[in-house]
Amino acid sequence: MPYLPGLDGMRALAVVSVMVWHAGHAWLSGGFLGVEVFFVISGYLITLLLIAEHERSDSISLRAFWGRRFRRLLPALYLTLIGITVYCALFLKNPLGKLRGDVVAAVFYVSNWFQIWSGKGYTDQSDFVPLRHLWSLAVEEQFYLIWPLVMILILRRGRNRLPQIGLWLVGVAFLIMVVTALFFHNAFYLNPVENPSAYFKAFGRELDKNNFLYLSTISRSSGILLGAGFAMVWRPMAVMRGPLKNKARSLDLAAVIGLAGLAGLIFFYELVGAENGRYFAPLFRGGFFLTGLCTLMVIAAVTHSGTIIGKFLGNPVLNWIGTRSYGLYLFHWPIYQIIRKAAGVALKPGQFVLAMVITVAITEASYRFLETPIRKREFVAKFRSPRPQVLAGLAVVGILIGFGGVSLSTAAVKCTNDLECQLEANAHSVVTLPTATGTTLPGTATTLPGSGSTVASTGATDATATTVPGESTTVVSTTTTVPTKPKIDVLMIGESVMKGAAAKLTAQGFLVDAEENRGGKAVVALLKTYVAANDISNVVIQSGTNGPVTQAEYDEMMTEVATVPHVFMMTVKAPKDWIGPNNEKINALPATHPNVTIIDWQVKGQLIEDQLSSKDGGVHLNTARAVTFYTNMVLTALGRPNIVGTAATGG
């Protein structure tokens, strides 16, 4: 099997598109499809190698195959894991506790399944996740472990029928595409309670369907199987011995069409809409498969020695990038995360240049001094007669590795970004109830968690005396206490924006029930629970930041609070396309519900835009001044004195 430099050129284009997309540059919205190109190339090359080995020796050595894979993949991976662990242990301790699971999963190449199981969506933002990108390497490594076993069976029983088997593999890839399309949840969703159809249950756990489809080895094997099937019908040496030897120009044309198709997909597809929060349906309904087909068109050309496109993609620059694409992929994402501190934040031009300089330097050093020597079995020989300074360096490295390992294993799980820390700090001030319909608060004296006050019941006593006929005894009836509902002065129900101010709001004597990712259905259920069990004077509701709320859901909220004297509906603020429609519905409520007053957070929040979180487009409260402003806004609406001693005012 000859060396095919054009394939390295394809790897180069794929890894560059992924790195640009990871940098948060919206103009390349489908850059993540570079990973699918990698999958197809891997399936093609590995299958070719296994077929070639079987032809040479009439067998496949699993030990030799897996040994080559481990020597190729493990050194740079473990360097990444050690590097990020030691860095965090020295300079960024808070993420260590959360990082522990990611490191263990990466060591055993199950990062994709760990992310599915833990509910860590690939699109989650605002968190420090330096190892999130390892999911794709886990998919490939699982393929490397299983596929040689499958190929041994195929080559023993069907060596003379490889083209037919290759077509069967393409058919299996097509079937995976169909199942993926059917399983895909084509709608906005928040959580299993609000949108149960977007989840499925496995081993007692609710798993996100779309996250599963994006990360799982099963659903993402379509590209790998396309490449593997194509290897059985398109073998470079055989192609050059047959009639296709003189079809170089036709193959060049096919490659141009394939590259144009890939460019269109990468520029116009997206994973999740930034404004509508929905997964891009065409991607899961044939998009991955189409990416694989376009990739095969290019592979057909670059594996033909007479094509122009093969020579172009095999040029020295793309060849250099392609041969180091593994390291570039491994190292760039952790470096991005260290620079910007959280996922989902676009790198500024200067930051991107800095990240590229660091990534290229580390990648080249790893390739020259670690990966290549280990792959060629020359690494150990370099240390047979080490110099004193080399020994000293190794000792320092050993100490750092030990320090990082101990720090990782003993670290507590802590918040890893400003927003998460603020919400965590306010969690103790929030009372949360089960959202199931029919759940009620006790109708007796109850201390509400986080409120700092006791809501007491009162009752009336009635006693009468009765003389029983024929008896001289007077029987006094049993005293009966008729309880009344506990009283709540101000009840606030909302989302994470409200939760960010929970401590300050609770200090004003308010009862706050606010939680992240809460939607309209959950708010309706909570209102039903609270109103049924309590005598409430004022209710403040904020619902609609996290996703679209229907008119029926807002109407249900109003039905539940119809007996509450004063209801305050807060508008919502976020750079999402559902905010406008939600606010239109909210602002229209007073016309049909006289007990409703609007608190216009959408408008007033713009007065403190610089105090809101820039990482999410100005959604959450980011400073103490913003928290005070938000609290004063509510106090003003209630007609109560504002918090003094600060310039912030919501009046």
Side-chain angles (χ1 to χ4, degrees), residues 285-310:
R285 292 179 170 173
F288 288 124
F289 190 80
L290 183 58
T291 302
L293 293 180
C294 290
T295 303
L296 292 184
M297 295 172 73
V298 184
I299 289 177
V302 301
T303 54
H304 189 290
S305 60
T307 59
I308 297 173
I309 199 72

Side-chain angles (χ1 to χ4, degrees), residues 149-299:
L149 301 174
V150 176
M151 285 299 296
I152 287 175
L153 295 176
I154 289 175
L155 291 170
R156 282 179 179 175
R157 300 186 178 185
R159 180 169 169 174
N160 296 325
R161 295 184 291 111
L162 284 182
Q164 296 94 318
I165 295 172
L167 293 177
W168 273 103
L169 291 177
V170 173
V172 173
F174 181 81
L175 180 62
I176 291 173
M177 178 202 73
V178 173
V179 174
T180 297
L182 295 174
F183 195 60
F184 172 69
H185 181 80
N186 185 26
F188 178 85
Y189 60 98
L190 279 172
N191 52 59
V193 174
E194 297 278 342
N195 314 98
S197 62
Y199 296 80
F200 70 100
K201 183 165 287 189
F203 304 104
R205 200 175 187 91
E206 296 285 353
L207 302 180
D208 183 328
K209 286 183 179 179
N210 293 350
N211 197 45
F212 174 87
L213 291 175
Y214 189 77
L215 296 175
S216 81
T217 309
I218 301 169
S219 53
R220 296 308 298 270
S221 63
S222 60
I224 295 174
L225 292 176
L226 277 177
F230 192 61
M232 294 181 182
V233 300
W234 191 270
R235 299 166 61 191
M237 298 299 290
V239 166
M240 296 308 297
R241 291 194 300 265
L244 291 171
K245 178 180 179 179
N246 300 318
K247 298 293 183 180
R249 299 293 79 82
S250 298
L251 292 174
D252 277 325
L253 177 60
V256 169
I257 295 173
L259 287 172
L262 289 174
L265 292 167
I266 288 173
F267 276 100
F268 297 109
Y269 270 39
E270 58 186 354
L271 181 55
V272 175
E275 294 185 354
N276 61 29
R278 292 178 60 169
Y279 279 84
F280 191 59
L283 176 67
F284 293 86
R285 292 179 170 173
F288 288 124
F289 190 80
L290 183 58
T291 302
L293 293 180
C294 290
T295 303
L296 292 184
M297 295 172 73
V298 184
I299 289 177

Side-chain angles (χ1 to χ4, degrees), residues 12 96 160 172 205 230 349 385 407 416 419 477 518 553 592 627 639:
L96 272 174
N160 296 325
V172 173
R205 200 175 187 91
F230 192 61
S385 301
S407 299
T416 56
L419 173 59
S477 67
R518 178 174 285 168
E553 288 169 344
T592 53
V627 170

